Amino acid sequence: MYGEIALLSGTANRPLAEAISRELNVPLIGADVFKFPNQNIFCRLHASVRGKDVFVIQPTCATEHDDGDTASVNDNLMELLIMMDTLSRDSAGRISAVVPYYGYGRTDKKDQPRVPITARLVADLISTAGANRFLTLDLHAGQIQGFFSIPVDELTAFHMLSDYFRAKAIPDAVVIAADIGATKRARNFAAALEMPLAIIEKRRVQRPDGSRAKALNVIGEVEGKNVIIFDDEIDTAGTVTQAIVFLRAAGANLVYVCATHPCFSDPAPERLSSVEIEEIVVTDTVPLPPRKLLPNITVLSVAPLLAEVIRRIHLGISVGALFNE
């Protein structure tokens, strides 16, 4: 048995950590987490966590803070590692890394010569820094779970997002996979909503400035239909906006976009504003600064889900049963 539950937040997504804290009625541990002028990151706990069951909440995404300061993926990853090392050296009973968004998750395989598998490297770093468990949402590739030598709980926002669209009851709707890689997720989403599926086929086209992916065909019927583009994350929004232009040309009506992780790396806000989208539905795994909160964005919170899973892990109750209830 571990001691009492404790929550520690990094600076990457403090609002989400505070929401989880409210759901559990457990205060966040007091801590100073900051950068020195030489950019070295430092962590100091305000009280001992000896023997406690500590959950560290820190997505490894890029972050724009309200004061105008920015933190890169590497900053937030290093912050997570340093916080866990601090907890380990203070003799925490168990350390669980709660990483709603897993940075470097797209570098999950060696798909060309002389490249790294950074998703595996990051998994090793998290374990080495002191994590006893790892908790995340919607990994870009399922095999990343196998990169860890510690227990992994991969949750999903699938049910939350499908429930939202089921309640909207959009007529004549079709779920869209924006490329072949998103087909499996989109197929499951379409099945949950009892809607047909269409897939956009993209191919590499050689241009003078290099090869680029171009939408060439849509597999399925979209003419006269309302469409829901579904994927795990939106980064620069190049794929999704190209898909929207292509779907419009194919005769689609209203366009909805749905994803778990709103990374929205520049120029995503400009691209999403340049096309006609009825609604963009995302979660708060990645914090969105005011300039990226477009008028048509709806943000669903994963705090209740994460709080319930943290409670179950702490009490030794099945996490899988949560999705079978």
Side-chain angles (χ1 to χ4, degrees), residues 180-297:
I180 298 297
T183 301
K184 184 177 180 180
R185 295 178 192 268
R187 181 194 63 195
N188 294 338
F189 198 68
L193 294 177
E194 298 181 342
M195 294 178 181
L197 172 70
I199 303 166
I200 293 179
E201 179 193 13
K202 295 197 304 183
R203 294 182 185 176
R204 288 271 164 195
V205 177
Q206 288 295 332
R207 296 186 178 183
D209 57 348
S211 66
R212 294 184 184 178
K214 182 179 180 181
L216 294 180
N217 187 33
V218 59
I219 305 169
E221 182 60 46
V222 298
E223 185 174 2
K225 304 289 186 179
N226 298 314
V227 297
I228 305 170
I229 300 174
F230 180 77
D231 210 344
D232 63 319
E233 71 176 76
I234 301 172
D235 189 15
T236 61
T239 295
V240 69
T241 51
Q242 186 183 89
I244 291 169
V245 171
F246 189 76
L247 290 167
R248 288 289 188 194
N253 289 334
L254 300 180
V255 175
Y256 296 81
V257 175
C258 176
T260 300
H261 307 297
C263 299
F264 287 11
S265 304
D266 289 323
E270 291 75 16
R271 283 177 170 171
L272 292 170
S273 298
S274 69
V275 292
E276 190 175 343
I277 304 174
E278 185 72 13
E279 187 178 16
I280 303 168
V281 182
V282 295
T283 77
D284 57 353
T285 57
V286 175
L288 289 176
R291 75 178 184 89
K292 294 183 179 181
L293 275 172
L294 304 177
N296 57 347
I297 287 181

Side-chain angles (χ1 to χ4, degrees), residues 144-201:
I144 294 174
Q145 293 186 44
F147 294 170
F148 287 84
S149 57
I150 56 177
V152 175
D153 290 299
E154 183 193 0
L155 312 180
T156 180
F158 179 94
H159 306 289
M160 179 189 310
L161 295 168
S162 60
D163 287 348
Y164 180 85
F165 277 98
R166 189 179 296 111
K168 290 185 76 70
I170 302 169
D172 296 320
V174 177
V175 174
I176 303 293
D179 56 31
I180 298 297
T183 301
K184 184 177 180 180
R185 295 178 192 268
R187 181 194 63 195
N188 294 338
F189 198 68
L193 294 177
E194 298 181 342
M195 294 178 181
L197 172 70
I199 303 166
I200 293 179
E201 179 193 13

Side-chain angles (χ1 to χ4, degrees), residues 295-323:
N296 57 347
I297 287 181
T298 298
V299 180
L300 306 180
S301 181
V302 297
L305 172 62
L306 287 172
E308 175 59 20
V309 172
I310 288 171
R311 184 187 72 84
R312 286 173 178 249
I313 291 173
H314 175 63
L315 297 176
I317 302 172
S318 170
V319 172
L322 176 63
F323 300 100

